[in-house]
Amino acid sequence: MPAIGEIEYGFDAAGVDEYLENIRAIVLTKAAEALDKTDGIESVCNEKWEGKARDAFLENMEKDKDHVKEQFRQLYNVLCTEISNIQQVMADKDQVLID
């Protein structure tokens, strides 16, 4: 059995969960909030621009914001899956070390 200093595997599950929660809070919450701060753009468009082009622009901007938020959610889910897979590999390796 290896000495404790030679072990390369192991993880703190609670620490990983906290890490993911911090990423979720930063990426999904703060980024979404930043994307929603388009009042200035909308105001200028409504004051200085008229017609179908303006309406299409504003509609597309909303769709794009929603698309980016969805991409963040999907990427976060991919990250969670990858980290979960890594945790499982590490747990499997830890189990072998115990046997």
Side-chain angles (χ1 to χ4, degrees):
M1 182 166 198
I4 196 77
E6 296 171 354
I7 296 175
E8 296 178 346
Y9 300 92
F11 60 91
D12 174 10
V16 171
D17 290 343
E18 182 181 347
Y19 174 72
L20 288 173
E21 179 57 29
N22 287 337
I23 291 173
R24 188 198 61 75
I26 292 167
V27 172
L28 298 182
T29 304
K30 290 186 179 183
E33 289 171 359
L35 286 168
D36 286 331
K37 293 181 180 178
T38 57
D39 292 344
I41 295 170
E42 292 173 25
S43 293
V44 169
C45 287
N46 288 324
E47 289 173 15
K48 306 291 181 182
W49 196 4
E50 292 183 14
K52 291 181 182 180
R54 178 201 61 198
D55 297 341
F57 174 83
L58 292 173
E59 184 178 319
N60 288 334
M61 184 174 66
E62 287 301 314
K63 288 179 185 176
D64 289 345
K65 288 183 338 187
D66 291 340
H67 176 74
V68 170
K69 288 182 214 176
E70 180 58 29
Q71 293 298 305
F72 282 150
R73 281 189 288 273
Q74 289 180 14
L75 288 170
Y76 176 76
N77 290 337
V78 168
L79 175 65
C80 288
T81 299
E82 290 298 319
I83 289 176
S84 178
N85 291 340
I86 291 167
Q87 279 183 300
Q88 187 58 54
V89 168
M90 293 173 75
D92 292 347
K93 186 64 175 180
D94 282 353
Q95 188 60 43
V96 171
L97 293 173
I98 294 171
D99 291 343

